[in-house]
Amino acid sequence: MIDWLAASPLSQFLAAHKWITPALQSVHILAIAALMASVLVVDLRLLGVGGDAGSLRQVTCRYIAWIWRALVVLLLTGALLVVGEPARELANWVFQMKMGLVMAAAGLTALAQRPIREGAEASPQRRPSWSAAFACVSLALWVGIVLAGRWIAYV
Ligand code: HEM
């Protein structure tokens, strides 16, 4: 798999044009900023910390949509980074752990977004009882992904 990817025309193209990798990394980092800002707004709101502008439903709907948009950009730029340097990424256990964490965080967000919206509709004044637990696990997963992403370069 690694050898096949490294020999592919796209990988050769990325290796021959040295400016593309830092450009992709820059877009990856901008998308991380958008994703983490949205995660913080949603999770802190679910924890009852910080501002109370807008209803819980408005805030969660608006910012969960931004989590998905940023994740699409991260997936595209991340996939190209992998194709550019397949051995560096795919053989690295921290990269593999990061992908596991991304799947867990995305899966948790996908599973929880509907109950969060319905809970916020049913009782606009009160947060659902499980919202603090969700917010803590979600924050831990996304922060873990950022740490793992940075750590890849050192393993
Ligand atoms: C969705 C699929 C994703 C893929 C395939 C992917 C892939 C990658 C790759 C290949 C790198 C380069 C690592 C290196 O060689 O040093 C990287 C860097 C990084 N990624 Fe991702 N990533 C994804 C999502 C995310 C997400 C969701 C986050 C955080 C919320 C994230 C945070 C980071 C960070 C912090 C770095 C280090 C950036 C730097 O210092 O240049 N990634 N990612």
Side-chain angles (χ1 to χ4, degrees), residues 25 28-29 32 35-36 71 74-79 81-82 85 88-89 95 98-99 102 142 145-153:
Q25 286 169 340
H28 204 73
I29 289 169
I32 293 164
L35 183 136
M36 290 307 290
L71 208 50
L74 285 163
L75 190 60
L76 291 175
T77 52
L81 288 169
V82 171
E85 292 181 281
R88 173 185 164 109
E89 314 300 347
F95 174 81
K98 178 184 153 183
M99 289 300 99
V102 168
W142 290 114
I145 294 165
V146 173
L147 294 176
R150 204 61 276 281
W151 191 9
I152 292 167

PDB file of all heavy atoms in Angstrom, residues 25 28-29 32 35-36 71 74-79 81-82 85 88-89 95 98-99 102 142 145-153, ligand 1:
ATOM      1  N   GLN A  25      -0.481  22.051   4.444  1.00  0.00           N
ATOM      2  CA  GLN A  25      -0.400  22.097   5.909  1.00  0.00           C
ATOM      3  C   GLN A  25      -1.042  23.383   6.437  1.00  0.00           C
ATOM      4  O   GLN A  25      -1.718  23.375   7.466  1.00  0.00           O
ATOM      5  CB  GLN A  25       1.061  22.025   6.358  1.00  0.00           C
ATOM      6  CG  GLN A  25       1.663  20.629   6.217  1.00  0.00           C
ATOM      7  CD  GLN A  25       3.176  20.612   6.415  1.00  0.00           C
ATOM      8  OE1 GLN A  25       3.836  21.643   6.289  1.00  0.00           O
ATOM      9  NE2 GLN A  25       3.727  19.435   6.689  1.00  0.00           N
ATOM     10  N   HIS A  28      -4.695  22.988   6.309  1.00  0.00           N
ATOM     11  CA  HIS A  28      -5.042  22.039   7.383  1.00  0.00           C
ATOM     12  C   HIS A  28      -5.120  22.789   8.722  1.00  0.00           C
ATOM     13  O   HIS A  28      -6.075  22.621   9.474  1.00  0.00           O
ATOM     14  CB  HIS A  28      -3.960  20.950   7.435  1.00  0.00           C
ATOM     15  CG  HIS A  28      -4.387  19.638   8.027  1.00  0.00           C
ATOM     16  ND1 HIS A  28      -5.211  18.740   7.384  1.00  0.00           N
ATOM     17  CD2 HIS A  28      -4.081  19.040   9.219  1.00  0.00           C
ATOM     18  CE1 HIS A  28      -5.397  17.662   8.139  1.00  0.00           C
ATOM     19  NE2 HIS A  28      -4.717  17.826   9.274  1.00  0.00           N
ATOM     20  N   ILE A  29      -4.136  23.647   8.971  1.00  0.00           N
ATOM     21  CA  ILE A  29      -4.101  24.368  10.258  1.00  0.00           C
ATOM     22  C   ILE A  29      -5.260  25.376  10.349  1.00  0.00           C
ATOM     23  O   ILE A  29      -5.881  25.514  11.413  1.00  0.00           O
ATOM     24  CB  ILE A  29      -2.729  25.056  10.447  1.00  0.00           C
ATOM     25  CG1 ILE A  29      -1.659  23.988  10.710  1.00  0.00           C
ATOM     26  CG2 ILE A  29      -2.764  26.052  11.600  1.00  0.00           C
ATOM     27  CD1 ILE A  29      -0.233  24.500  10.653  1.00  0.00           C
ATOM     28  N   ILE A  32      -8.214  23.445  11.224  1.00  0.00           N
ATOM     29  CA  ILE A  32      -8.176  23.036  12.644  1.00  0.00           C
ATOM     30  C   ILE A  32      -8.691  24.179  13.512  1.00  0.00           C
ATOM     31  O   ILE A  32      -9.460  23.980  14.452  1.00  0.00           O
ATOM     32  CB  ILE A  32      -6.740  22.662  13.081  1.00  0.00           C
ATOM     33  CG1 ILE A  32      -6.264  21.405  12.362  1.00  0.00           C
ATOM     34  CG2 ILE A  32      -6.664  22.439  14.594  1.00  0.00           C
ATOM     35  CD1 ILE A  32      -4.747  21.196  12.438  1.00  0.00           C
ATOM     36  N   LEU A  35     -12.419  24.318  13.179  1.00  0.00           N
ATOM     37  CA  LEU A  35     -13.057  23.177  13.854  1.00  0.00           C
ATOM     38  C   LEU A  35     -12.989  23.330  15.373  1.00  0.00           C
ATOM     39  O   LEU A  35     -13.994  23.186  16.068  1.00  0.00           O
ATOM     40  CB  LEU A  35     -12.390  21.869  13.419  1.00  0.00           C
ATOM     41  CG  LEU A  35     -13.031  20.605  14.021  1.00  0.00           C
ATOM     42  CD1 LEU A  35     -13.192  19.529  12.969  1.00  0.00           C
ATOM     43  CD2 LEU A  35     -12.219  20.058  15.174  1.00  0.00           C
ATOM     44  N   MET A  36     -11.789  23.670  15.893  1.00  0.00           N
ATOM     45  CA  MET A  36     -11.645  23.738  17.353  1.00  0.00           C
ATOM     46  C   MET A  36     -12.454  24.902  17.933  1.00  0.00           C
ATOM     47  O   MET A  36     -12.996  24.793  19.037  1.00  0.00           O
ATOM     48  CB  MET A  36     -10.168  23.843  17.747  1.00  0.00           C
ATOM     49  CG  MET A  36      -9.364  22.582  17.494  1.00  0.00           C
ATOM     50  SD  MET A  36     -10.067  21.079  18.222  1.00  0.00           S
ATOM     51  CE  MET A  36      -9.836  21.345  19.988  1.00  0.00           C
ATOM     52  N   LEU A  71     -14.242  19.606   8.930  1.00  0.00           N
ATOM     53  CA  LEU A  71     -13.765  18.220   8.864  1.00  0.00           C
ATOM     54  C   LEU A  71     -13.579  17.771   7.409  1.00  0.00           C
ATOM     55  O   LEU A  71     -12.639  17.023   7.107  1.00  0.00           O
ATOM     56  CB  LEU A  71     -14.749  17.300   9.599  1.00  0.00           C
ATOM     57  CG  LEU A  71     -14.191  16.025  10.214  1.00  0.00           C
ATOM     58  CD1 LEU A  71     -12.959  16.272  11.071  1.00  0.00           C
ATOM     59  CD2 LEU A  71     -15.265  15.321  11.031  1.00  0.00           C
ATOM     60  N   LEU A  74     -10.318  19.169   6.357  1.00  0.00           N
ATOM     61  CA  LEU A  74      -9.228  18.420   7.004  1.00  0.00           C
ATOM     62  C   LEU A  74      -9.023  17.065   6.344  1.00  0.00           C
ATOM     63  O   LEU A  74      -7.878  16.621   6.154  1.00  0.00           O
ATOM     64  CB  LEU A  74      -9.537  18.235   8.495  1.00  0.00           C
ATOM     65  CG  LEU A  74      -9.333  19.500   9.316  1.00  0.00           C
ATOM     66  CD1 LEU A  74     -10.039  19.407  10.658  1.00  0.00           C
ATOM     67  CD2 LEU A  74      -7.846  19.744   9.535  1.00  0.00           C
ATOM     68  N   LEU A  75     -10.127  16.424   5.985  1.00  0.00           N
ATOM     69  CA  LEU A  75     -10.036  15.112   5.335  1.00  0.00           C
ATOM     70  C   LEU A  75      -9.335  15.243   3.978  1.00  0.00           C
ATOM     71  O   LEU A  75      -8.442  14.442   3.652  1.00  0.00           O
ATOM     72  CB  LEU A  75     -11.442  14.537   5.171  1.00  0.00           C
ATOM     73  CG  LEU A  75     -11.562  13.092   4.724  1.00  0.00           C
ATOM     74  CD1 LEU A  75     -10.883  12.159   5.708  1.00  0.00           C
ATOM     75  CD2 LEU A  75     -13.029  12.696   4.575  1.00  0.00           C
ATOM     76  N   LEU A  76      -9.728  16.264   3.192  1.00  0.00           N
ATOM     77  CA  LEU A  76      -9.136  16.439   1.854  1.00  0.00           C
ATOM     78  C   LEU A  76      -7.649  16.796   1.955  1.00  0.00           C
ATOM     79  O   LEU A  76      -6.804  16.171   1.304  1.00  0.00           O
ATOM     80  CB  LEU A  76      -9.884  17.537   1.089  1.00  0.00           C
ATOM     81  CG  LEU A  76     -11.320  17.194   0.683  1.00  0.00           C
ATOM     82  CD1 LEU A  76     -12.003  18.398   0.037  1.00  0.00           C
ATOM     83  CD2 LEU A  76     -11.335  16.007  -0.264  1.00  0.00           C
ATOM     84  N   THR A  77      -7.322  17.795   2.783  1.00  0.00           N
ATOM     85  CA  THR A  77      -5.917  18.206   2.885  1.00  0.00           C
ATOM     86  C   THR A  77      -5.095  17.099   3.545  1.00  0.00           C
ATOM     87  O   THR A  77      -3.970  16.810   3.122  1.00  0.00           O
ATOM     88  CB  THR A  77      -5.772  19.520   3.682  1.00  0.00           C
ATOM     89  OG1 THR A  77      -6.464  19.383   4.927  1.00  0.00           O
ATOM     90  CG2 THR A  77      -6.327  20.710   2.925  1.00  0.00           C
ATOM     91  N   GLY A  78      -5.671  16.440   4.578  1.00  0.00           N
ATOM     92  CA  GLY A  78      -4.952  15.361   5.260  1.00  0.00           C
ATOM     93  C   GLY A  78      -4.672  14.206   4.319  1.00  0.00           C
ATOM     94  O   GLY A  78      -3.576  13.643   4.312  1.00  0.00           O
ATOM     95  N   ALA A  79      -5.672  13.845   3.481  1.00  0.00           N
ATOM     96  CA  ALA A  79      -5.476  12.732   2.540  1.00  0.00           C
ATOM     97  C   ALA A  79      -4.341  13.073   1.565  1.00  0.00           C
ATOM     98  O   ALA A  79      -3.502  12.214   1.254  1.00  0.00           O
ATOM     99  CB  ALA A  79      -6.774  12.455   1.796  1.00  0.00           C
ATOM    100  N   LEU A  81      -1.842  15.085   2.132  1.00  0.00           N
ATOM    101  CA  LEU A  81      -0.569  15.016   2.874  1.00  0.00           C
ATOM    102  C   LEU A  81      -0.097  13.565   2.987  1.00  0.00           C
ATOM    103  O   LEU A  81       1.098  13.276   2.894  1.00  0.00           O
ATOM    104  CB  LEU A  81      -0.723  15.646   4.261  1.00  0.00           C
ATOM    105  CG  LEU A  81      -0.857  17.176   4.290  1.00  0.00           C
ATOM    106  CD1 LEU A  81      -1.281  17.668   5.669  1.00  0.00           C
ATOM    107  CD2 LEU A  81       0.464  17.848   3.888  1.00  0.00           C
ATOM    108  N   VAL A  82      -1.042  12.648   3.184  1.00  0.00           N
ATOM    109  CA  VAL A  82      -0.688  11.225   3.275  1.00  0.00           C
ATOM    110  C   VAL A  82      -0.133  10.733   1.930  1.00  0.00           C
ATOM    111  O   VAL A  82       0.902  10.058   1.880  1.00  0.00           O
ATOM    112  CB  VAL A  82      -1.912  10.373   3.690  1.00  0.00           C
ATOM    113  CG1 VAL A  82      -1.606   8.881   3.573  1.00  0.00           C
ATOM    114  CG2 VAL A  82      -2.336  10.705   5.111  1.00  0.00           C
ATOM    115  N   GLU A  85       3.470  11.891   1.390  1.00  0.00           N
ATOM    116  CA  GLU A  85       4.526  11.210   2.171  1.00  0.00           C
ATOM    117  C   GLU A  85       3.939   9.970   2.844  1.00  0.00           C
ATOM    118  O   GLU A  85       3.810   9.920   4.075  1.00  0.00           O
ATOM    119  CB  GLU A  85       5.094  12.168   3.229  1.00  0.00           C
ATOM    120  CG  GLU A  85       5.875  13.329   2.648  1.00  0.00           C
ATOM    121  CD  GLU A  85       6.432  14.224   3.740  1.00  0.00           C
ATOM    122  OE1 GLU A  85       5.677  15.040   4.296  1.00  0.00           O
ATOM    123  OE2 GLU A  85       7.620  14.108   4.065  1.00  0.00           O
ATOM    124  N   ARG A  88       5.915   8.184   5.804  1.00  0.00           N
ATOM    125  CA  ARG A  88       5.980   9.002   7.021  1.00  0.00           C
ATOM    126  C   ARG A  88       4.687   8.910   7.825  1.00  0.00           C
ATOM    127  O   ARG A  88       4.710   8.881   9.063  1.00  0.00           O
ATOM    128  CB  ARG A  88       6.242  10.461   6.617  1.00  0.00           C
ATOM    129  CG  ARG A  88       6.181  11.447   7.752  1.00  0.00           C
ATOM    130  CD  ARG A  88       6.340  12.863   7.216  1.00  0.00           C
ATOM    131  NE  ARG A  88       5.924  13.843   8.178  1.00  0.00           N
ATOM    132  CZ  ARG A  88       6.751  14.647   8.838  1.00  0.00           C
ATOM    133  NH1 ARG A  88       8.039  14.591   8.622  1.00  0.00           N
ATOM    134  NH2 ARG A  88       6.276  15.511   9.697  1.00  0.00           N
ATOM    135  N   GLU A  89       3.543   8.825   7.122  1.00  0.00           N
ATOM    136  CA  GLU A  89       2.249   8.855   7.826  1.00  0.00           C
ATOM    137  C   GLU A  89       1.737   7.456   8.151  1.00  0.00           C
ATOM    138  O   GLU A  89       1.486   7.135   9.306  1.00  0.00           O
ATOM    139  CB  GLU A  89       1.194   9.600   6.994  1.00  0.00           C
ATOM    140  CG  GLU A  89       1.643  10.923   6.391  1.00  0.00           C
ATOM    141  CD  GLU A  89       2.077  11.954   7.423  1.00  0.00           C
ATOM    142  OE1 GLU A  89       1.810  11.763   8.616  1.00  0.00           O
ATOM    143  OE2 GLU A  89       2.721  12.947   7.016  1.00  0.00           O
ATOM    144  N   PHE A  95       0.065   8.506  13.886  1.00  0.00           N
ATOM    145  CA  PHE A  95      -0.896   8.834  12.827  1.00  0.00           C
ATOM    146  C   PHE A  95      -2.083   7.874  12.893  1.00  0.00           C
ATOM    147  O   PHE A  95      -3.242   8.287  12.797  1.00  0.00           O
ATOM    148  CB  PHE A  95      -0.229   8.768  11.445  1.00  0.00           C
ATOM    149  CG  PHE A  95      -1.211   8.964  10.324  1.00  0.00           C
ATOM    150  CD1 PHE A  95      -1.625  10.242   9.960  1.00  0.00           C
ATOM    151  CD2 PHE A  95      -1.747   7.875   9.654  1.00  0.00           C
ATOM    152  CE1 PHE A  95      -2.557  10.422   8.944  1.00  0.00           C
ATOM    153  CE2 PHE A  95      -2.681   8.054   8.638  1.00  0.00           C
ATOM    154  CZ  PHE A  95      -3.084   9.326   8.274  1.00  0.00           C
ATOM    155  N   LYS A  98      -4.216   8.780  15.705  1.00  0.00           N
ATOM    156  CA  LYS A  98      -4.973  10.009  15.399  1.00  0.00           C
ATOM    157  C   LYS A  98      -6.201   9.686  14.547  1.00  0.00           C
ATOM    158  O   LYS A  98      -7.288  10.197  14.806  1.00  0.00           O
ATOM    159  CB  LYS A  98      -4.067  11.013  14.671  1.00  0.00           C
ATOM    160  CG  LYS A  98      -4.793  12.295  14.286  1.00  0.00           C
ATOM    161  CD  LYS A  98      -3.915  13.235  13.499  1.00  0.00           C
ATOM    162  CE  LYS A  98      -4.765  14.113  12.611  1.00  0.00           C
ATOM    163  NZ  LYS A  98      -4.008  15.010  11.766  1.00  0.00           N
ATOM    164  N   MET A  99      -6.048   8.817  13.543  1.00  0.00           N
ATOM    165  CA  MET A  99      -7.184   8.463  12.700  1.00  0.00           C
ATOM    166  C   MET A  99      -8.282   7.765  13.516  1.00  0.00           C
ATOM    167  O   MET A  99      -9.469   8.005  13.306  1.00  0.00           O
ATOM    168  CB  MET A  99      -6.733   7.567  11.531  1.00  0.00           C
ATOM    169  CG  MET A  99      -5.911   8.272  10.472  1.00  0.00           C
ATOM    170  SD  MET A  99      -6.790   9.652   9.684  1.00  0.00           S
ATOM    171  CE  MET A  99      -6.128  11.037  10.551  1.00  0.00           C
ATOM    172  N   VAL A 102     -10.028  10.479  15.349  1.00  0.00           N
ATOM    173  CA  VAL A 102     -10.893  11.265  14.442  1.00  0.00           C
ATOM    174  C   VAL A 102     -12.209  10.515  14.218  1.00  0.00           C
ATOM    175  O   VAL A 102     -13.296  11.107  14.279  1.00  0.00           O
ATOM    176  CB  VAL A 102     -10.191  11.546  13.083  1.00  0.00           C
ATOM    177  CG1 VAL A 102     -11.182  12.103  12.057  1.00  0.00           C
ATOM    178  CG2 VAL A 102      -9.021  12.515  13.258  1.00  0.00           C
ATOM    179  N   TRP A 142     -11.171  15.755  20.777  1.00  0.00           N
ATOM    180  CA  TRP A 142     -10.656  16.725  19.794  1.00  0.00           C
ATOM    181  C   TRP A 142      -9.292  17.273  20.206  1.00  0.00           C
ATOM    182  O   TRP A 142      -8.406  17.443  19.371  1.00  0.00           O
ATOM    183  CB  TRP A 142     -11.659  17.869  19.582  1.00  0.00           C
ATOM    184  CG  TRP A 142     -12.906  17.450  18.860  1.00  0.00           C
ATOM    185  CD1 TRP A 142     -14.181  17.426  19.364  1.00  0.00           C
ATOM    186  CD2 TRP A 142     -13.033  16.978  17.499  1.00  0.00           C
ATOM    187  NE1 TRP A 142     -15.070  16.970  18.418  1.00  0.00           N
ATOM    188  CE2 TRP A 142     -14.404  16.695  17.272  1.00  0.00           C
ATOM    189  CE3 TRP A 142     -12.128  16.756  16.469  1.00  0.00           C
ATOM    190  CZ2 TRP A 142     -14.878  16.209  16.049  1.00  0.00           C
ATOM    191  CZ3 TRP A 142     -12.601  16.281  15.249  1.00  0.00           C
ATOM    192  CH2 TRP A 142     -13.953  16.010  15.048  1.00  0.00           C
ATOM    193  N   ILE A 145      -6.745  14.741  19.386  1.00  0.00           N
ATOM    194  CA  ILE A 145      -6.431  14.704  17.948  1.00  0.00           C
ATOM    195  C   ILE A 145      -5.412  15.797  17.600  1.00  0.00           C
ATOM    196  O   ILE A 145      -4.460  15.558  16.840  1.00  0.00           O
ATOM    197  CB  ILE A 145      -7.723  14.864  17.115  1.00  0.00           C
ATOM    198  CG1 ILE A 145      -8.640  13.664  17.327  1.00  0.00           C
ATOM    199  CG2 ILE A 145      -7.398  15.031  15.633  1.00  0.00           C
ATOM    200  CD1 ILE A 145     -10.075  13.872  16.849  1.00  0.00           C
ATOM    201  N   VAL A 146      -5.592  16.998  18.155  1.00  0.00           N
ATOM    202  CA  VAL A 146      -4.632  18.083  17.886  1.00  0.00           C
ATOM    203  C   VAL A 146      -3.237  17.683  18.380  1.00  0.00           C
ATOM    204  O   VAL A 146      -2.236  17.833  17.662  1.00  0.00           O
ATOM    205  CB  VAL A 146      -5.088  19.402  18.561  1.00  0.00           C
ATOM    206  CG1 VAL A 146      -4.007  20.462  18.430  1.00  0.00           C
ATOM    207  CG2 VAL A 146      -6.392  19.895  17.952  1.00  0.00           C
ATOM    208  N   LEU A 147      -3.184  17.133  19.605  1.00  0.00           N
ATOM    209  CA  LEU A 147      -1.877  16.733  20.168  1.00  0.00           C
ATOM    210  C   LEU A 147      -1.248  15.633  19.299  1.00  0.00           C
ATOM    211  O   LEU A 147      -0.046  15.692  18.982  1.00  0.00           O
ATOM    212  CB  LEU A 147      -2.036  16.238  21.609  1.00  0.00           C
ATOM    213  CG  LEU A 147      -2.480  17.298  22.622  1.00  0.00           C
ATOM    214  CD1 LEU A 147      -2.707  16.670  23.993  1.00  0.00           C
ATOM    215  CD2 LEU A 147      -1.447  18.417  22.732  1.00  0.00           C
ATOM    216  N   ALA A 148      -2.056  14.654  18.892  1.00  0.00           N
ATOM    217  CA  ALA A 148      -1.524  13.560  18.070  1.00  0.00           C
ATOM    218  C   ALA A 148      -1.038  14.100  16.723  1.00  0.00           C
ATOM    219  O   ALA A 148       0.023  13.693  16.229  1.00  0.00           O
ATOM    220  CB  ALA A 148      -2.597  12.483  17.868  1.00  0.00           C
ATOM    221  N   GLY A 149      -1.793  15.040  16.131  1.00  0.00           N
ATOM    222  CA  GLY A 149      -1.401  15.612  14.832  1.00  0.00           C
ATOM    223  C   GLY A 149      -0.021  16.249  14.899  1.00  0.00           C
ATOM    224  O   GLY A 149       0.814  16.058  14.007  1.00  0.00           O
ATOM    225  N   ARG A 150       0.229  16.990  15.961  1.00  0.00           N
ATOM    226  CA  ARG A 150       1.528  17.653  16.132  1.00  0.00           C
ATOM    227  C   ARG A 150       2.637  16.641  16.434  1.00  0.00           C
ATOM    228  O   ARG A 150       3.795  16.815  16.076  1.00  0.00           O
ATOM    229  CB  ARG A 150       1.375  18.673  17.278  1.00  0.00           C
ATOM    230  CG  ARG A 150       2.305  19.865  17.357  1.00  0.00           C
ATOM    231  CD  ARG A 150       2.253  20.786  16.193  1.00  0.00           C
ATOM    232  NE  ARG A 150       3.077  20.394  15.070  1.00  0.00           N
ATOM    233  CZ  ARG A 150       4.395  20.561  14.969  1.00  0.00           C
ATOM    234  NH1 ARG A 150       5.085  21.078  15.963  1.00  0.00           N
ATOM    235  NH2 ARG A 150       5.047  20.222  13.896  1.00  0.00           N
ATOM    236  N   TRP A 151       2.247  15.559  17.148  1.00  0.00           N
ATOM    237  CA  TRP A 151       3.206  14.563  17.635  1.00  0.00           C
ATOM    238  C   TRP A 151       3.765  13.706  16.506  1.00  0.00           C
ATOM    239  O   TRP A 151       4.891  13.186  16.598  1.00  0.00           O
ATOM    240  CB  TRP A 151       2.477  13.718  18.695  1.00  0.00           C
ATOM    241  CG  TRP A 151       3.315  12.804  19.518  1.00  0.00           C
ATOM    242  CD1 TRP A 151       4.686  12.737  19.558  1.00  0.00           C
ATOM    243  CD2 TRP A 151       2.832  11.811  20.428  1.00  0.00           C
ATOM    244  NE1 TRP A 151       5.076  11.758  20.447  1.00  0.00           N
ATOM    245  CE2 TRP A 151       3.957  11.184  20.990  1.00  0.00           C
ATOM    246  CE3 TRP A 151       1.562  11.405  20.825  1.00  0.00           C
ATOM    247  CZ2 TRP A 151       3.838  10.160  21.930  1.00  0.00           C
ATOM    248  CZ3 TRP A 151       1.452  10.396  21.755  1.00  0.00           C
ATOM    249  CH2 TRP A 151       2.582   9.779  22.299  1.00  0.00           C
ATOM    250  N   ILE A 152       2.971  13.561  15.415  1.00  0.00           N
ATOM    251  CA  ILE A 152       3.375  12.676  14.305  1.00  0.00           C
ATOM    252  C   ILE A 152       4.809  12.975  13.862  1.00  0.00           C
ATOM    253  O   ILE A 152       5.613  12.074  13.616  1.00  0.00           O
ATOM    254  CB  ILE A 152       2.410  12.858  13.104  1.00  0.00           C
ATOM    255  CG1 ILE A 152       1.024  12.337  13.453  1.00  0.00           C
ATOM    256  CG2 ILE A 152       2.943  12.122  11.854  1.00  0.00           C
ATOM    257  CD1 ILE A 152      -0.063  12.749  12.461  1.00  0.00           C
ATOM    258  N   ALA A 153       5.142  14.267  13.799  1.00  0.00           N
ATOM    259  CA  ALA A 153       6.438  14.688  13.270  1.00  0.00           C
ATOM    260  C   ALA A 153       7.611  14.218  14.130  1.00  0.00           C
ATOM    261  O   ALA A 153       8.757  14.203  13.675  1.00  0.00           O
ATOM    262  CB  ALA A 153       6.470  16.216  13.153  1.00  0.00           C
TER     263      ALA A 153
HETATM  264  C1  HEM B   1      -9.857  13.896   8.842  1.00  0.00           C
HETATM  265  C2  HEM B   1      -8.759  13.292   8.525  1.00  0.00           C
HETATM  266  C3  HEM B   1      -7.373  13.833   8.764  1.00  0.00           C
HETATM  267  C4  HEM B   1      -6.255  13.389   8.112  1.00  0.00           C
HETATM  268  C5  HEM B   1      -6.214  12.323   7.026  1.00  0.00           C
HETATM  269  C6  HEM B   1      -5.131  14.124   8.644  1.00  0.00           C
HETATM  270  C7  HEM B   1      -3.824  13.969   8.245  1.00  0.00           C
HETATM  271  C8  HEM B   1      -2.748  14.732   8.670  1.00  0.00           C
HETATM  272  C9  HEM B   1      -1.388  14.618   8.192  1.00  0.00           C
HETATM  273  C10 HEM B   1      -0.951  13.626   7.134  1.00  0.00           C
HETATM  274  C11 HEM B   1      -0.630  15.513   8.863  1.00  0.00           C
HETATM  275  C12 HEM B   1       0.889  15.738   8.702  1.00  0.00           C
HETATM  276  C13 HEM B   1       1.612  15.120   9.900  1.00  0.00           C
HETATM  277  C14 HEM B   1       3.116  15.184   9.765  1.00  0.00           C
HETATM  278  O1  HEM B   1       3.625  14.565   8.824  1.00  0.00           O
HETATM  279  O2  HEM B   1       3.756  15.833  10.593  1.00  0.00           O
HETATM  280  C15 HEM B   1      -1.490  16.216   9.776  1.00  0.00           C
HETATM  281  C16 HEM B   1      -1.078  17.200  10.643  1.00  0.00           C
HETATM  282  C17 HEM B   1      -1.852  17.710  11.629  1.00  0.00           C
HETATM  283  N1  HEM B   1      -3.191  17.461  11.840  1.00  0.00           N
HETATM  284 FE1  HEM B   1      -4.392  16.283  10.673  1.00  0.00          FE
HETATM  285  N2  HEM B   1      -5.566  14.990   9.614  1.00  0.00           N
HETATM  286  C18 HEM B   1      -6.929  14.846   9.724  1.00  0.00           C
HETATM  287  C19 HEM B   1      -7.747  15.512  10.606  1.00  0.00           C
HETATM  288  C20 HEM B   1      -7.292  16.332  11.613  1.00  0.00           C
HETATM  289  C21 HEM B   1      -8.109  16.906  12.637  1.00  0.00           C
HETATM  290  C22 HEM B   1      -9.622  16.677  12.782  1.00  0.00           C
HETATM  291  C23 HEM B   1      -7.290  17.646  13.438  1.00  0.00           C
HETATM  292  C24 HEM B   1      -7.604  18.435  14.691  1.00  0.00           C
HETATM  293  C25 HEM B   1      -8.758  18.757  15.139  1.00  0.00           C
HETATM  294  C26 HEM B   1      -5.960  17.536  12.932  1.00  0.00           C
HETATM  295  C27 HEM B   1      -4.848  18.133  13.499  1.00  0.00           C
HETATM  296  C28 HEM B   1      -3.589  18.125  12.969  1.00  0.00           C
HETATM  297  C29 HEM B   1      -2.438  18.852  13.516  1.00  0.00           C
HETATM  298  C30 HEM B   1      -2.428  19.735  14.774  1.00  0.00           C
HETATM  299  C31 HEM B   1      -1.368  18.598  12.677  1.00  0.00           C
HETATM  300  C32 HEM B   1       0.063  19.147  12.800  1.00  0.00           C
HETATM  301  C33 HEM B   1       0.130  20.358  11.891  1.00  0.00           C
HETATM  302  C34 HEM B   1       1.535  20.907  11.829  1.00  0.00           C
HETATM  303  O3  HEM B   1       2.155  21.098  12.864  1.00  0.00           O
HETATM  304  O4  HEM B   1       2.007  21.161  10.706  1.00  0.00           O
HETATM  305  N3  HEM B   1      -6.004  16.747  11.803  1.00  0.00           N
HETATM  306  N4  HEM B   1      -2.787  15.712   9.635  1.00  0.00           N
END
